[in-house]
């Protein structure tokens, strides 16, 4: 009997017991669907985090902050809370420094068409998107020229845009920031910490550092972004720079390089996502195992129920291996169908997650093919024992079985 | 087909049960034999051994010069597939398959190509008078029609031997007669036919009658033409 025929007759046998077949499939179905969805989401989250860590610009940037911003303590003599223009000038004078920018951060009212939202305002150089870890989904990032020219332009986060303009695009609209009209040139989503911040959906507005200083001259500069020239040892330069700034402030703990800190957090998030992926993956694996045991159980029932059929087939010339193949193919067809349904569901879930969170969630071919092969393999393994039981039956006993 | 001193024992809860005692028997190619005897005398057991579905506990059985006791399950299956056609009292058709597919099945196990299989199954069903019922399921057929399907299936691989266990048991006299006429026609074409029955009228259709009582052959002789 050839394979196509065996698959067809297995299909007939499964159709004869539709509900039971579907219920049997369910374990494999759910297991495969969750594995697919979880790996897609896990990988999507990871690649979002990793792409930030690996961004070229961040690799070459030293982010210096007053230590007080990271580890707040009691007011002390010599305490430094902000970065001054003199600090920036000092950094610019170092050899090996390609450029020095700064970022500002504060809270302020942002309003448009009658809505006012208290948003967090971040301002910085033209590569603020990388420093502050967001990406432009619509419109454009502001340029170095915008920064130099003090242009009143800004980008708003998706969440803020929704609150101000509803479903309409914010790009091309005007908002009031601290009472000043600002032209919205782009819409952003955060790439920071993967899925978490996306779900939290912070209300952010980003603009050139120069413009922001014009609006809020009383705000202090909280971060200095030093771009390291190619070929210069970043860690060494960072150490020398922080020491020089500390000496100038007369406080050995005044400043700190936070880029390592960021990377640390992101590594941690990366590790946590990875561990979570594996834990949930293991749970899904157990679901598959339970599904497989279910398939085995039903195949045993089916073999017992069809004892007489086995006897009839044997009497007209089915060899033990024909009987074995028949039940094996049936088990593999069940689990493969479950696998296909699971792959479909998993892809659906992944697509839904992408639509909701905007994470780069995708299901790769290797995962699809792997899951399919795996579910077929479960059928083979779990069908083997029942099929062997069927094949070993004595024809006459099977035939006489009532 | 040759049985020499065949015994068949079963171990039951009440101890050992001997169903066939010292049965020696030779059936030549082309014979038409009936086996008759009271219920429980071991007729079906004998047929299962003749049909390579079961093996003797003692003694030897040679089928076409092969010692059946030395063959493995696959070799026995091959003999059943190609050389033997069974017709059972309760038909033993596969309930989920149409008449046509039931008849095709022995050819499926033999590896006959699909188109040829289909053509031959249709021809066989036509020959047993069921040309208009080929797509019916067994439970959509009458007893006599089911028995005809079973006969068509038994003939699928052109067997040397047809073994029929009470083929008319579930049928009325008229239908039973038609079925026996079919066997007779087959025998005239050279097929060896062994029919098991407890009905003397049916048994007389054959050319040779073997009487079995309590697992022993008590008579074996030609049937006079009436
Ligand atoms: N698997 C078995 N285990 C135990 N005893 C069996 C088994 N198969 C058959 N027997 C016994 O063997 C005896 C003969 O059975 P068999 O079926 O050959 O009789 P039979 O002549 O065909 O009877 P009937 O005309 O009623 O069909 C019976 O007493 C039966 O109980
Ligand atoms: Mg019987």
């Amino acid at each position: 009997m050839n394979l196509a025929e065996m698959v067809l007759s297995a299909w007939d046998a499964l159709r004869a017991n539709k509900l039971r077949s579907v219920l049997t499939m369910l374990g494999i179905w759910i297991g495969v669907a969750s594995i697919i969805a979880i790996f897609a989401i896990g990988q999507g989250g990871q690649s979002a985090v990793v792409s930030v860590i690996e961004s070229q610009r961040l690799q070459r940037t030293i982010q210096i902050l007053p230590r007080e911003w990271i580890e707040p303590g009691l007011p002390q003599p010599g305490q430094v809370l902000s970065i001054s223009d003199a600090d920036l000038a000092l950094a610019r004078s170092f050899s090996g420094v390609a450029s020095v920018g700064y970022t500002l951060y504060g809270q302020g009212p942002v309003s448009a068409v009658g809505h006012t939202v208290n948003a967090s305002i971040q301002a910085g150089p033209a590569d603020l998107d990388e420093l502050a870890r967001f990406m432009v989904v619509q419109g454009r990032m502001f340029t170095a020229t915008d920064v130099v020219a003090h242009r009143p332009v800004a980008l708003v986060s998706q969440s803020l845009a929704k609150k101000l303009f509803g479903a309409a695009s914010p790009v091309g609209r005007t908002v009031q920031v601290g009472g000043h009209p600002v032209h919205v040139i782009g819409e952003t989503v955060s790439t920071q910490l993967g899925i978490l911040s996306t779900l939290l959906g912070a209300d952010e507005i980003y603009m050139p550092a120069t413009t922001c200083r014009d609006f809020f001259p009383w705000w202090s500069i909280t971060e200095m972004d030093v771009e390291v020239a190619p070929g210069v040892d970043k860690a060494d330069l960072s150490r020398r720079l922080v020491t020089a700034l500390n000496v100038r402030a007369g406080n050995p703990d005044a400043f700190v390089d936070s880029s390592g800190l960021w990377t640390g957090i992101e590594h941690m998030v990366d590790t946590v996502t990875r561990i979570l992926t594996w834990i949930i993956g293991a749970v899904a694996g157990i679901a598959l195992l339970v599904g497989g045991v279910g398939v085995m159980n039903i195949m045993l029932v089916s073999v017992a129920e069809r004892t007489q059929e086995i006897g009839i087939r044997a009497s007209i010339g089915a060899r033990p291996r024909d009987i074995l193949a028949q039940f094996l193919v049936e088990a593999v067809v069940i689990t493969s169908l479950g696998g296909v349904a699971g792959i479909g569901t998993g892809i659906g879930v992944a697509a839904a997650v992408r639509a909701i969170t905007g994470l780069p969630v995708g299901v790769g071919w290797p995962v699809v093919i792997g899951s399919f092969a795996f579910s077929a393999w479960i059928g083979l393994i779990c069908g083997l024992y029942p099929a062997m039981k069927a094949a070993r039956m004595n024809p006459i006993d099977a035939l006489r079985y009532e | 087909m040759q049985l020499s001193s065949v015994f068949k024992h079963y171990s039951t809860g009440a101890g050992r049960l001997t169903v066939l005692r010292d049965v020696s028997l030779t059936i030549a190619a082309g014979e038409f034999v009936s086996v008759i005897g009271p219920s429980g005398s071991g007729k079906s057991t004998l047929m299962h051994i003749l049909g390579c579905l079961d093996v003797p506990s003692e003694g030897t059985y040679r089928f076409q010069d092969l010692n059946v006791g030395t063959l493995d399950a696959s070799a026995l299956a091959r003999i059943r597939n190609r050389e033997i056609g069974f017709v059972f009292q309760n038909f033993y058709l596969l309930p989920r398959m149409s008449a046509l597919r039931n008849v095709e099945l022995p050819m499926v196990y033999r590896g006959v190509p699909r188109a040829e299989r289909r053509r031959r199954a249709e021809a066989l069903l036509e020959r047993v008078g069921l040309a208009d019922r080929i797509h019916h399921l067994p439970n959509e057929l009458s007893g006599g029609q089911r028995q005809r399907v079973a006969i068509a299936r038994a003939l699928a691989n052109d067997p040397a031997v047809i073994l029929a266990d009470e083929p008319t048991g579930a049928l009325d006299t008229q239908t039973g007669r038609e079925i026996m006429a079919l066997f007779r026609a087959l025998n005239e074409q050279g097929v060896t036919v062994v029919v098991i029955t407890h009905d003397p009228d049916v048994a007389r259709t054959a050319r040779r009658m073997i009487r079995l009582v309590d697992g022993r052959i008590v008579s074996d002789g030609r049937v006079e033409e009436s």
Side-chain angles (χ1 to χ4, degrees):
Chain A
M1 210 197 252
N2 69 37
L3 192 65
E5 248 158 62
M6 286 194 292
V7 170
L8 266 178
S9 93
W11 175 248
D12 280 348
L14 298 180
R15 263 197 0 195
N17 254 318
K18 280 195 205 73
L19 182 62
R20 183 204 277 185
S21 304
V22 170
L23 289 178
T24 310
M25 264 175 232
L26 213 56
I28 307 289
W29 183 338
I30 293 172
V32 168
S34 30
I35 284 188
I36 298 246
I38 275 139
F39 277 95
I41 294 164
Q43 263 167 15
Q46 243 172 47
S47 66
V49 170
V50 170
S51 76
V52 174
I53 293 175
E54 285 169 358
S55 126
Q56 284 289 312
R57 176 66 167 82
L58 277 184
Q59 298 283 315
R60 292 189 288 110
T61 303
I62 304 168
Q63 291 167 278
I64 296 173
L65 275 76
R67 185 176 286 277
E68 201 56 33
W69 282 94
I70 292 172
E71 298 160 10
L74 294 171
Q76 287 163 12
Q79 199 173 47
V80 174
L81 288 171
S82 69
I83 287 165
S84 65
D85 287 327
D87 294 329
L88 294 173
L90 175 65
R92 280 194 191 99
S93 73
F94 265 69
S95 71
V97 169
S99 74
V100 175
Y102 56 89
T103 52
L104 299 152
Y105 175 84
Q107 297 279 333
V110 176
S111 52
V113 285
H115 299 284
T116 299
V117 176
N118 194 33
S120 88
I121 302 165
Q122 293 200 51
D127 41 27
L128 182 68
D129 52 344
E130 292 192 22
L131 297 170
R133 291 154 173 84
F134 63 84
M135 75 190 173
V136 180
V137 289
Q138 203 193 137
R140 64 169 181 90
M141 183 58 194
F142 55 77
T143 62
T145 320
D146 292 326
V147 179
V148 172
H150 295 241
R151 285 202 185 118
V153 292
L155 293 92
V156 294
S157 72
Q158 238 166 17
S159 144
L160 178 60
K162 198 169 287 168
K163 284 181 190 161
L164 294 176
F165 305 109
S169 167
V171 177
R173 311 286 287 264
T174 300
V175 294
Q176 303 284 326
V177 180
H180 303 274
V182 173
H183 189 64
V184 177
I185 56 169
E187 188 179 351
T188 69
V189 293
S190 174
T191 56
Q192 184 181 313
L193 304 189
I195 190 164
L196 223 63
S197 64
T198 318
L199 289 181
L200 295 178
D203 300 326
E204 308 269 4
I205 182 161
Y206 305 99
M207 57 177 119
T210 49
T211 319
C212 185
R213 274 191 106 181
D214 295 341
F215 293 174
F216 307 103
W218 60 91
W219 281 11
S220 48
I221 297 173
T222 53
E223 185 181 303
M224 182 196 297
D225 304 303
V226 180
E227 190 192 346
V228 179
V232 174
D233 181 350
K234 182 182 163 190
D236 175 61
L237 179 60
S238 158
R239 227 172 357 255
R240 286 188 291 123
L241 199 51
V242 170
T243 312
L245 289 168
N246 285 344
V247 167
R248 213 190 140 269
N251 175 351
D253 282 329
F255 295 96
V256 68
D257 175 357
S258 79
S259 39
L261 200 86
W262 267 109
T263 323
I265 291 172
E266 274 158 358
H267 270 308
M268 198 183 72
V269 170
D270 186 32
T271 315
V272 168
T273 339
R274 212 187 291 268
I275 291 171
L276 271 181
T277 304
W278 283 111
I279 289 177
I280 302 174
V283 170
I286 291 169
L288 274 180
L289 193 77
V290 172
V293 170
V295 170
M296 181 138 141
N297 185 29
I298 291 298
M299 288 310 295
L300 282 172
V301 170
S302 165
V303 166
E305 275 180 358
R306 286 153 68 191
T307 301
Q308 197 171 64
E309 175 188 328
I310 294 166
I312 294 172
R313 287 176 183 271
S315 77
I316 59 173
R319 292 161 301 178
R321 80 175 85 128
D322 295 320
I323 305 282
L324 183 88
Q326 180 192 341
F327 283 96
L328 265 189
V329 166
E330 240 176 83
V332 171
V333 167
I334 288 195
T335 57
S336 303
L337 284 177
V340 168
I343 289 168
T345 312
I347 290 176
V349 170
V353 168
R354 183 175 48 219
I356 294 167
T357 65
L359 279 177
V361 171
V363 179
W365 277 111
V367 177
V368 169
I369 293 166
S371 322
F372 182 77
F374 188 55
S375 40
W377 181 77
I378 290 179
L380 211 58
I381 294 302
C382 297
L384 193 61
Y385 174 66
M388 268 165 46
K389 225 177 134 154
R392 285 207 192 119
M393 280 181 186
N394 178 356
I396 191 65
D397 293 340
L399 198 59
R400 294 173 67 113
Y401 182 90
E402 293 295 317
Chain B
M1 291 183 281
Q2 185 177 28
L3 296 170
S4 354
S5 315
V6 163
F7 286 79
K8 183 73 190 178
H9 314 291
Y10 288 110
S11 45
T12 62
R16 199 166 83 154
L17 182 72
T18 301
V19 177
L20 291 180
R21 299 166 200 271
D22 195 20
V23 172
S24 295
L25 174 67
T26 304
I27 297 173
E31 279 198 82
F32 189 175
V33 181
S34 63
V35 179
I36 193 165
S39 188
S41 55
K43 305 183 297 292
S44 295
T45 309
L46 177 64
M47 186 193 93
H48 296 147
I49 291 177
L50 287 173
C52 301
L53 266 175
D54 208 350
V55 288
S57 312
E58 286 174 49
T60 54
Y61 172 41
R62 303 184 73 81
F63 180 88
Q64 293 179 347
D65 295 327
L66 290 166
N67 184 346
V68 168
T70 63
L71 301 177
D72 67 2
S74 288
L76 292 175
R78 198 184 145 92
I79 292 179
R80 290 195 295 268
N81 185 230
R82 304 188 175 196
E83 308 296 342
I84 293 167
F86 286 101
V87 180
F88 297 100
Q89 176 172 5
N90 27 10
F91 324 124
Y92 285 151
L93 298 174
L94 290 184
R96 285 195 306 269
M97 291 187 176
S98 66
L100 189 67
R101 286 188 60 199
N102 265 288
V103 176
E104 280 186 50
L105 205 55
M107 296 186 270
V108 169
Y109 287 122
R110 188 177 187 159
V112 176
R114 193 182 193 81
E116 190 187 331
R117 208 163 75 200
R118 170 72 36 115
R119 196 167 42 69
R120 186 160 162 73
E122 281 170 357
L124 284 167
L125 283 165
E126 199 180 317
R127 181 158 156 207
V128 298
L130 286 177
D132 55 341
R133 293 282 190 281
I134 60 174
H135 295 299
H136 286 229
L137 292 176
N139 63 8
E140 296 163 354
L141 296 171
S142 73
Q145 288 169 335
R146 284 185 218 183
Q147 196 59 293
R148 286 163 203 270
V149 175
I151 292 170
R153 183 179 68 183
L155 292 174
N157 281 333
D158 248 335
V161 182
I162 294 277
L163 298 175
D165 191 355
E166 309 261 14
T168 59
L171 310 176
D172 62 68
T173 329
Q174 175 56 33
T175 320
R177 231 173 254 143
E178 284 171 27
I179 298 284
M180 289 312 291
L182 204 57
F183 283 134
R184 189 161 205 149
L186 284 168
N187 176 248
E188 271 152 21
Q189 286 162 25
V191 182
T192 312
V193 179
V194 179
V195 175
I196 285 165
T197 181
H198 57 259
D199 180 345
D201 284 341
V202 171
R204 268 193 286 279
T205 317
R207 298 181 197 285
R208 172 182 170 191
M209 187 169 11
I210 295 170
R211 189 179 298 275
L212 208 60
V213 175
D214 245 356
R216 258 183 238 283
I217 295 180
V218 295
S219 79
D220 181 350
R222 284 183 60 82
V223 176
E224 298 81 42
E225 301 283 334
S226 49

